[in-house]
mmCIF file of all heavy atoms in Angstrom:
data_model
loop_
_atom_site.group_PDB
_atom_site.id
_atom_site.type_symbol
_atom_site.label_atom_id
_atom_site.label_comp_id
_atom_site.label_asym_id
_atom_site.label_seq_id
_atom_site.Cartn_x
_atom_site.Cartn_y
_atom_site.Cartn_z
ATOM 1 N N LEU A 442 16.453 9.920 4.974
ATOM 2 C CA LEU A 442 16.563 8.499 4.688
ATOM 3 C C LEU A 442 17.509 7.801 5.653
ATOM 4 O O LEU A 442 17.212 6.714 6.177
ATOM 5 C CB LEU A 442 17.019 8.296 3.234
ATOM 6 C CG LEU A 442 16.938 6.877 2.664
ATOM 7 C CD1 LEU A 442 15.514 6.367 2.730
ATOM 8 C CD2 LEU A 442 17.455 6.851 1.234
ATOM 9 N N ASP A 443 18.668 8.434 5.911
ATOM 10 C CA ASP A 443 19.635 7.848 6.839
ATOM 11 C C ASP A 443 19.100 7.806 8.271
ATOM 12 O O ASP A 443 19.487 6.948 9.061
ATOM 13 C CB ASP A 443 20.960 8.625 6.816
ATOM 14 C CG ASP A 443 21.687 8.447 5.487
ATOM 15 O OD1 ASP A 443 21.446 7.426 4.823
ATOM 16 O OD2 ASP A 443 22.477 9.333 5.123
ATOM 17 N N GLN A 444 18.194 8.728 8.614
ATOM 18 C CA GLN A 444 17.678 8.799 9.958
ATOM 19 C C GLN A 444 16.333 8.075 10.115
ATOM 20 O O GLN A 444 15.613 8.270 11.087
ATOM 21 C CB GLN A 444 17.533 10.270 10.386
ATOM 22 C CG GLN A 444 18.856 11.002 10.466
ATOM 23 C CD GLN A 444 18.730 12.449 10.878
ATOM 24 O OE1 GLN A 444 17.614 12.957 11.078
ATOM 25 N NE2 GLN A 444 19.861 13.150 11.012
ATOM 26 N N ASN A 445 15.988 7.242 9.115
ATOM 27 C CA ASN A 445 14.777 6.389 9.164
ATOM 28 C C ASN A 445 13.495 7.185 9.431
ATOM 29 O O ASN A 445 12.649 6.777 10.242
ATOM 30 C CB ASN A 445 14.956 5.301 10.247
ATOM 31 C CG ASN A 445 16.141 4.403 9.955
ATOM 32 O OD1 ASN A 445 16.349 3.977 8.828
ATOM 33 N ND2 ASN A 445 16.934 4.099 11.000
ATOM 34 N N GLN A 446 13.379 8.323 8.739
ATOM 35 C CA GLN A 446 12.201 9.148 8.927
ATOM 36 C C GLN A 446 11.081 8.767 7.954
ATOM 37 O O GLN A 446 9.980 9.319 8.038
ATOM 38 C CB GLN A 446 12.564 10.617 8.759
ATOM 39 C CG GLN A 446 13.516 11.151 9.820
ATOM 40 C CD GLN A 446 13.948 12.584 9.560
ATOM 41 O OE1 GLN A 446 13.367 13.277 8.727
ATOM 42 N NE2 GLN A 446 14.974 13.038 10.283
ATOM 43 N N PHE A 447 11.333 7.832 7.049
ATOM 44 C CA PHE A 447 10.321 7.429 6.068
ATOM 45 C C PHE A 447 9.642 6.118 6.486
ATOM 46 O O PHE A 447 10.255 5.269 7.139
ATOM 47 C CB PHE A 447 10.938 7.251 4.678
ATOM 48 C CG PHE A 447 11.398 8.531 4.042
ATOM 49 C CD1 PHE A 447 12.750 8.821 3.928
ATOM 50 C CD2 PHE A 447 10.488 9.459 3.570
ATOM 51 C CE1 PHE A 447 13.182 10.008 3.354
ATOM 52 C CE2 PHE A 447 10.895 10.635 2.996
ATOM 53 C CZ PHE A 447 12.230 10.917 2.885
ATOM 54 N N SER A 448 8.391 6.004 6.083
ATOM 55 C CA SER A 448 7.651 4.751 6.277
ATOM 56 C C SER A 448 6.710 4.557 5.088
ATOM 57 O O SER A 448 6.545 5.478 4.272
ATOM 58 C CB SER A 448 6.854 4.783 7.577
ATOM 59 O OG SER A 448 5.800 5.732 7.484
ATOM 60 N N LEU A 449 6.113 3.378 5.013
ATOM 61 C CA LEU A 449 5.179 3.075 3.931
ATOM 62 C C LEU A 449 3.795 2.814 4.483
ATOM 63 O O LEU A 449 3.632 2.106 5.492
ATOM 64 C CB LEU A 449 5.658 1.851 3.119
ATOM 65 C CG LEU A 449 6.984 2.005 2.362
ATOM 66 C CD1 LEU A 449 7.274 0.702 1.601
ATOM 67 C CD2 LEU A 449 6.961 3.178 1.411
ATOM 68 N N ASP A 450 2.800 3.367 3.827
ATOM 69 C CA ASP A 450 1.408 2.988 4.036
ATOM 70 C C ASP A 450 0.952 2.182 2.824
ATOM 71 O O ASP A 450 1.536 2.293 1.718
ATOM 72 C CB ASP A 450 0.518 4.214 4.209
ATOM 73 C CG ASP A 450 0.571 4.775 5.621
ATOM 74 O OD1 ASP A 450 1.267 4.170 6.465
ATOM 75 O OD2 ASP A 450 -0.057 5.821 5.865
ATOM 76 N N PHE A 451 -0.078 1.383 3.022
ATOM 77 C CA PHE A 451 -0.581 0.530 1.944
ATOM 78 C C PHE A 451 -2.091 0.746 1.835
ATOM 79 O O PHE A 451 -2.819 0.694 2.841
ATOM 80 C CB PHE A 451 -0.287 -0.953 2.223
ATOM 81 C CG PHE A 451 1.180 -1.258 2.296
ATOM 82 C CD1 PHE A 451 1.878 -1.156 3.508
ATOM 83 C CD2 PHE A 451 1.881 -1.663 1.180
ATOM 84 C CE1 PHE A 451 3.223 -1.446 3.591
ATOM 85 C CE2 PHE A 451 3.236 -1.958 1.256
ATOM 86 C CZ PHE A 451 3.903 -1.845 2.450
ATOM 87 N N GLN A 452 -2.559 1.010 0.608
ATOM 88 C CA GLN A 452 -3.996 1.102 0.398
ATOM 89 C C GLN A 452 -4.468 -0.131 -0.385
ATOM 90 O O GLN A 452 -3.939 -0.447 -1.440
ATOM 91 C CB GLN A 452 -4.361 2.376 -0.393
ATOM 92 C CG GLN A 452 -5.876 2.536 -0.530
ATOM 93 C CD GLN A 452 -6.267 3.898 -1.075
ATOM 94 O OE1 GLN A 452 -5.523 4.500 -1.845
ATOM 95 N NE2 GLN A 452 -7.444 4.375 -0.667
ATOM 96 N N PRO A 453 -5.503 -0.802 0.145
ATOM 97 C CA PRO A 453 -5.986 -2.026 -0.514
ATOM 98 C C PRO A 453 -6.580 -1.736 -1.885
ATOM 99 O O PRO A 453 -7.220 -0.714 -2.097
ATOM 100 C CB PRO A 453 -7.062 -2.545 0.456
ATOM 101 C CG PRO A 453 -6.794 -1.869 1.752
ATOM 102 C CD PRO A 453 -6.205 -0.529 1.416
ATOM 103 N N ILE A 454 -6.339 -2.627 -2.810
ATOM 104 C CA ILE A 454 -6.979 -2.633 -4.131
ATOM 105 C C ILE A 454 -7.836 -3.903 -4.171
ATOM 106 O O ILE A 454 -7.335 -5.019 -3.971
ATOM 107 C CB ILE A 454 -5.950 -2.609 -5.268
ATOM 108 C CG1 ILE A 454 -5.104 -1.338 -5.206
ATOM 109 C CG2 ILE A 454 -6.636 -2.708 -6.623
ATOM 110 C CD1 ILE A 454 -4.005 -1.268 -6.230
ATOM 111 N N VAL A 455 -9.125 -3.699 -4.413
ATOM 112 C CA VAL A 455 -10.114 -4.739 -4.203
ATOM 113 C C VAL A 455 -10.620 -5.271 -5.549
ATOM 114 O O VAL A 455 -10.836 -4.483 -6.488
ATOM 115 C CB VAL A 455 -11.298 -4.185 -3.379
ATOM 116 C CG1 VAL A 455 -12.381 -5.245 -3.199
ATOM 117 C CG2 VAL A 455 -10.789 -3.690 -2.024
ATOM 118 N N ASP A 456 -10.808 -6.567 -5.614
ATOM 119 C CA ASP A 456 -11.463 -7.189 -6.766
ATOM 120 C C ASP A 456 -12.971 -6.873 -6.629
ATOM 121 O O ASP A 456 -13.626 -7.312 -5.666
ATOM 122 C CB ASP A 456 -11.231 -8.698 -6.745
ATOM 123 C CG ASP A 456 -11.793 -9.405 -7.964
ATOM 124 O OD1 ASP A 456 -12.782 -8.901 -8.568
ATOM 125 O OD2 ASP A 456 -11.254 -10.463 -8.325
ATOM 126 N N LEU A 457 -13.527 -6.103 -7.565
ATOM 127 C CA LEU A 457 -14.911 -5.658 -7.433
ATOM 128 C C LEU A 457 -15.914 -6.803 -7.575
ATOM 129 O O LEU A 457 -17.082 -6.661 -7.153
ATOM 130 C CB LEU A 457 -15.226 -4.575 -8.481
ATOM 131 C CG LEU A 457 -14.439 -3.260 -8.343
ATOM 132 C CD1 LEU A 457 -14.961 -2.225 -9.335
ATOM 133 C CD2 LEU A 457 -14.479 -2.722 -6.928
ATOM 134 N N ARG A 458 -15.514 -7.931 -8.113
ATOM 135 C CA ARG A 458 -16.431 -9.049 -8.231
ATOM 136 C C ARG A 458 -16.499 -9.870 -6.954
ATOM 137 O O ARG A 458 -17.567 -10.311 -6.532
ATOM 138 C CB ARG A 458 -16.025 -9.939 -9.404
ATOM 139 C CG ARG A 458 -16.285 -9.298 -10.786
ATOM 140 C CD ARG A 458 -15.871 -10.214 -11.913
ATOM 141 N NE ARG A 458 -14.411 -10.404 -11.939
ATOM 142 C CZ ARG A 458 -13.577 -9.595 -12.563
ATOM 143 N NH1 ARG A 458 -14.014 -8.529 -13.188
ATOM 144 N NH2 ARG A 458 -12.299 -9.850 -12.532
ATOM 145 N N SER A 459 -15.340 -10.091 -6.316
ATOM 146 C CA SER A 459 -15.316 -10.933 -5.113
ATOM 147 C C SER A 459 -15.264 -10.124 -3.825
ATOM 148 O O SER A 459 -15.574 -10.637 -2.751
ATOM 149 C CB SER A 459 -14.108 -11.872 -5.163
ATOM 150 O OG SER A 459 -12.893 -11.138 -5.058
ATOM 151 N N GLY A 460 -14.821 -8.871 -3.933
ATOM 152 C CA GLY A 460 -14.692 -8.046 -2.729
ATOM 153 C C GLY A 460 -13.461 -8.343 -1.922
ATOM 154 O O GLY A 460 -13.277 -7.781 -0.829
ATOM 155 N N ARG A 461 -12.565 -9.139 -2.405
ATOM 156 C CA ARG A 461 -11.347 -9.491 -1.658
ATOM 157 C C ARG A 461 -10.202 -8.574 -2.038
ATOM 158 O O ARG A 461 -10.098 -8.069 -3.158
ATOM 159 C CB ARG A 461 -10.939 -10.943 -1.958
ATOM 160 C CG ARG A 461 -11.989 -11.989 -1.535
ATOM 161 C CD ARG A 461 -11.414 -13.370 -1.661
ATOM 162 N NE ARG A 461 -10.305 -13.595 -0.749
ATOM 163 C CZ ARG A 461 -9.494 -14.661 -0.819
ATOM 164 N NH1 ARG A 461 -9.668 -15.556 -1.788
ATOM 165 N NH2 ARG A 461 -8.519 -14.802 0.038
ATOM 166 N N VAL A 462 -9.314 -8.354 -1.070
ATOM 167 C CA VAL A 462 -8.118 -7.532 -1.286
ATOM 168 C C VAL A 462 -7.097 -8.375 -2.026
ATOM 169 O O VAL A 462 -6.660 -9.437 -1.539
ATOM 170 C CB VAL A 462 -7.526 -7.033 0.063
ATOM 171 C CG1 VAL A 462 -6.245 -6.267 -0.197
ATOM 172 C CG2 VAL A 462 -8.540 -6.176 0.793
ATOM 173 N N VAL A 463 -6.740 -7.935 -3.229
ATOM 174 C CA VAL A 463 -5.804 -8.718 -4.058
ATOM 175 C C VAL A 463 -4.510 -7.959 -4.376
ATOM 176 O O VAL A 463 -3.537 -8.550 -4.840
ATOM 177 C CB VAL A 463 -6.483 -9.126 -5.387
ATOM 178 C CG1 VAL A 463 -7.595 -10.117 -5.120
ATOM 179 C CG2 VAL A 463 -7.015 -7.908 -6.125
ATOM 180 N N LYS A 464 -4.530 -6.658 -4.150
ATOM 181 C CA LYS A 464 -3.341 -5.836 -4.436
ATOM 182 C C LYS A 464 -3.244 -4.757 -3.367
ATOM 183 O O LYS A 464 -4.211 -4.491 -2.639
ATOM 184 C CB LYS A 464 -3.423 -5.174 -5.818
ATOM 185 C CG LYS A 464 -3.740 -6.119 -6.973
ATOM 186 C CD LYS A 464 -3.856 -5.348 -8.284
ATOM 187 C CE LYS A 464 -4.490 -6.206 -9.363
ATOM 188 N NZ LYS A 464 -3.721 -7.410 -9.658
ATOM 189 N N ALA A 465 -2.065 -4.120 -3.323
ATOM 190 C CA ALA A 465 -1.868 -2.990 -2.411
ATOM 191 C C ALA A 465 -0.996 -1.945 -3.096
ATOM 192 O O ALA A 465 0.043 -2.284 -3.667
ATOM 193 C CB ALA A 465 -1.200 -3.466 -1.133
ATOM 194 N N GLU A 466 -1.466 -0.693 -3.043
ATOM 195 C CA GLU A 466 -0.649 0.401 -3.582
ATOM 196 C C GLU A 466 0.201 0.967 -2.463
ATOM 197 O O GLU A 466 -0.280 1.277 -1.367
ATOM 198 C CB GLU A 466 -1.529 1.498 -4.180
ATOM 199 C CG GLU A 466 -0.678 2.655 -4.753
ATOM 200 C CD GLU A 466 -1.489 3.759 -5.392
ATOM 201 O OE1 GLU A 466 -2.747 3.647 -5.434
ATOM 202 O OE2 GLU A 466 -0.882 4.735 -5.869
ATOM 203 N N THR A 467 1.488 1.135 -2.757
ATOM 204 C CA THR A 467 2.438 1.640 -1.781
ATOM 205 C C THR A 467 2.415 3.174 -1.779
ATOM 206 O O THR A 467 2.491 3.811 -2.824
ATOM 207 C CB THR A 467 3.866 1.170 -2.109
ATOM 208 O OG1 THR A 467 3.861 -0.242 -2.207
ATOM 209 C CG2 THR A 467 4.846 1.612 -1.045
ATOM 210 N N LEU A 468 2.328 3.766 -0.591
ATOM 211 C CA LEU A 468 2.296 5.222 -0.440
ATOM 212 C C LEU A 468 3.388 5.622 0.555
ATOM 213 O O LEU A 468 3.420 5.122 1.687
ATOM 214 C CB LEU A 468 0.929 5.697 0.044
ATOM 215 C CG LEU A 468 -0.240 5.319 -0.883
ATOM 216 C CD1 LEU A 468 -1.573 5.602 -0.204
ATOM 217 C CD2 LEU A 468 -0.137 6.072 -2.201
ATOM 218 N N LEU A 469 4.269 6.540 0.124
ATOM 219 C CA LEU A 469 5.416 6.953 0.959
ATOM 220 C C LEU A 469 5.000 8.038 1.940
ATOM 221 O O LEU A 469 4.301 8.985 1.581
ATOM 222 C CB LEU A 469 6.547 7.461 0.038
ATOM 223 C CG LEU A 469 7.829 7.906 0.719
ATOM 224 C CD1 LEU A 469 8.503 6.741 1.465
ATOM 225 C CD2 LEU A 469 8.816 8.484 -0.329
#
């Protein structure tokens, strides 16, 4: 953590009716 070895990826969460990205799940 002190050496900045971590980062975040984001996976889109989609509204199945509109197909638009409305949320993002954070992945370490």
Side-chain angles (χ1 to χ4, degrees):
L442 191 58
D443 291 336
Q444 296 180 358
N445 300 316
Q446 295 175 13
F447 291 107
S448 69
L449 296 182
D450 279 357
F451 298 87
Q452 184 170 31
I454 298 176
V455 178
D456 185 333
L457 296 187
R458 289 180 294 273
S459 67
R461 298 189 65 191
V462 176
V463 293
K464 309 178 193 299
E466 180 178 359
T467 305
L468 301 170
L469 181 63

